[in-house]
Amino acid sequence: MKVSISEHDLWGPGDNVVSVMPQSPGDLFVVVTIMGKVAVTWSITDRDKAINAAHVLARRARGDRPVIAKVFSLTLKEAQAMGFVPLDLFSDLTDEQRAEWGKQVHDSCLDLLRTSADPQVRADAMELLQGMGALK
């Protein structure tokens, strides 16, 4: 676990803490909590933005006690278990909407195969495309 203290700590060492959990394979979301309450939830692509937001919140916060901001990443199943994403997210889609989602996933995976330098990301994209029947 990586823990860092805001560079502009208002109360001195040990107060106003920003704790950043490392990203894990399969994470799709990033969550920032302040004093145990969810402040923001973003796509994992905005992880750096979330970390910066946590630092800004910790630097600016003033109160009776030190502020603790936590940044952590979640997989879809974790986000669903915590109530951030409904379990039946795609259940009410029409056939047309499902086809559009499928096209977006297909196009995104192909783009990842072309542009990503991360072998795990490319492998995941390839596996998803094969699972969709787009590749043989």
Side-chain angles (χ1 to χ4, degrees):
M1 175 170 55
K2 178 181 177 183
V3 178
S4 62
I5 297 175
S6 170
E7 63 186 88
H8 302 290
D9 198 350
L10 300 174
W11 288 281
D15 299 315
N16 274 14
V17 175
V18 175
S19 175
V20 179
M21 298 294 294
Q23 182 178 340
S24 300
D27 287 342
L28 298 177
F29 304 97
V30 63
V31 176
V32 177
T33 64
I34 305 293
M35 302 301 287
K37 296 185 180 188
V38 175
V40 292
T41 303
W42 282 316
S43 164
I44 196 65
T45 57
D46 291 323
R47 186 170 185 273
D48 290 339
K49 181 178 167 183
I51 292 169
N52 289 336
H55 279 280
V56 168
L57 289 167
R59 279 195 306 267
R60 294 185 179 173
R62 298 177 186 266
D64 297 337
R65 59 186 181 170
V67 171
I68 300 170
K70 297 179 183 177
V71 180
F72 56 97
S73 305
L74 302 170
T75 64
L76 176 60
K77 286 185 181 184
E78 291 167 335
Q80 287 174 324
M82 293 181 179
F84 296 125
V85 177
L87 292 172
D88 59 349
L89 181 63
F90 303 111
S91 65
D92 60 347
L93 296 179
T94 65
D95 289 340
E96 184 178 290
Q97 290 170 322
R98 279 187 211 288
E100 180 60 30
W101 271 100
K103 182 179 179 347
Q104 288 177 3
V105 168
H106 177 268
D107 293 349
S108 295
C109 286
L110 286 177
D111 187 50
L112 286 170
L113 286 175
R114 284 190 297 269
T115 62
S116 179
D118 185 335
Q120 185 60 51
V121 169
R122 289 195 328 267
D124 289 346
M126 181 69 80
E127 182 180 333
L128 188 53
L129 285 168
Q130 288 171 336
M132 294 172 66
L135 300 176
K136 306 228 185 239

